Structure formats: C-alpha cells, structure tokens
Amino acid sequence: MRYFEDLIVGEKASFGRYEVTREEVMDFARKYDPQPFHLSDEAAAKTHFGRLSASGWHTSAMTMSMLVEQFQANPQAGLGAAGIDELRWLKPVYPGDTLRCETELLEKRESRSRPEMASTKSRMTVFNQDDVPVMTFVANGLIGRRPQG
C-alpha cells in the first residue's frame, strides 16, 4: 500500500492497455453522446474526423477504467478525487485504436485541516498505439497519510 509519504514529486508511471471497439464506441454514443459522427460512418466522413470516432467523454471513461486497473494492481491509500483541470481532447480516438496512459506527479500537499489526508496533482496523458497523445488532463487526487503507531 502506498501512502502520501511514499509519493515522489516528478515520479512517472506508464500503464494500461485499452482496445477501442466499434461496438463500444457506438453503444457509448447512443447512450451518452448521440452526435452523428459517433454513430454513423457516413456522417463522420463529412466531418474533420473523417470516420467514426469515440466521444471525448468515452475516451475519459476508458481512461478511468485503466486507472482503476492500475490502482488495483498497485494499491494506494486513495480517497477519491477532487476533480480534474485542463482536460484536452487532442486527437480523435477511433475504433481499432489501443490506448495507454502515462502520468507524472506534479505536486503533493498535506491537509491543514485533515491530518489523516493529503492531496496530489498529477498530469495524465493518454496515447494511442502510434504514441500520439490523444488526451491530457490534470488530476486532483486525495490520498491517505501513513497510519501512526
């Protein structure tokens, strides 16, 4: 189990593998982001995407899946998140793409009012199989302090 005290600012990690399928892109779009370029090859061909593409929100959800898998494999005293900043969808994500993540710890801070917890700030970059960044954001996390005694 990793606690606040174990984290090193500047530390980087690379993890995850998520294969994007056509069926999942369309299922997500039908339910959450039913824009034509997420649902139809013909409609997408008429846009700057050029072909069917995943919703940025779907890319975010796929990233969350990889994050949870990473936390399960490498347990931390995580206490949830306080949000994200600077979310950018840089390039389209297409069916057939394979995504992966890289993260860098930018900052960690002790809580003044809650001595059992602390906060972190990390930059997350999601890449496709060609090592092209497709999404970035800054995650604001909460993490437990190492128990005393």
Side-chain angles (χ1 to χ4, degrees):
M1 177 72 68
R2 291 187 76 200
Y3 295 92
F4 170 79
E5 291 80 5
D6 303 316
L7 303 179
I8 301 166
V9 172
E11 184 174 48
K12 296 180 181 181
S14 182
F15 58 90
R17 179 179 170 77
Y18 198 103
E19 295 181 12
V20 182
T21 68
R22 177 182 178 80
E23 295 75 27
E24 188 177 5
V25 166
M26 294 179 77
D27 287 347
F28 186 96
R30 275 191 286 275
K31 192 165 185 177
Y32 301 109
D33 191 356
Q35 297 182 77
F37 44 85
H38 299 317
L39 294 167
S40 159
D41 292 310
E42 295 77 24
K46 297 175 186 172
T47 71
H48 67 281
F49 296 116
R51 58 189 170 113
L52 189 74
S53 63
S55 165
W57 298 114
H58 186 194
T59 302
S60 299
M62 291 183 272
T63 301
M64 188 68 208
S65 178
M66 288 185 280
L67 273 170
V68 170
E69 188 175 288
Q70 172 72 357
F71 291 150
Q72 289 171 340
N74 302 283
Q76 291 189 12
L79 300 171
I84 62 169
D85 297 321
E86 303 175 29
L87 174 63
R88 300 287 183 269
W89 295 305
L90 305 171
K91 298 284 183 183
V93 171
Y94 298 110
D97 283 354
T98 301
L99 305 180
R100 67 177 182 81
C101 301
E102 289 185 6
T103 187
E104 178 182 4
L105 182 61
L106 302 175
E107 176 182 306
K108 67 178 199 174
R109 282 195 312 238
E110 298 178 32
S111 173
R112 293 181 186 166
S113 61
R114 307 263 323 255
E116 76 280 6
M117 71 179 353
S119 65
T120 62
K121 190 174 288 248
S122 300
R123 174 158 317 277
M124 173 71 68
T125 305
V126 180
F127 295 87
N128 67 17
Q129 68 283 346
D130 298 320
D131 288 329
V132 174
V134 298
M135 185 177 79
T136 64
F137 61 90
V138 174
N140 301 294
L142 301 172
I143 188 164
R145 305 286 310 267
R146 184 176 305 289
Q148 300 300 311

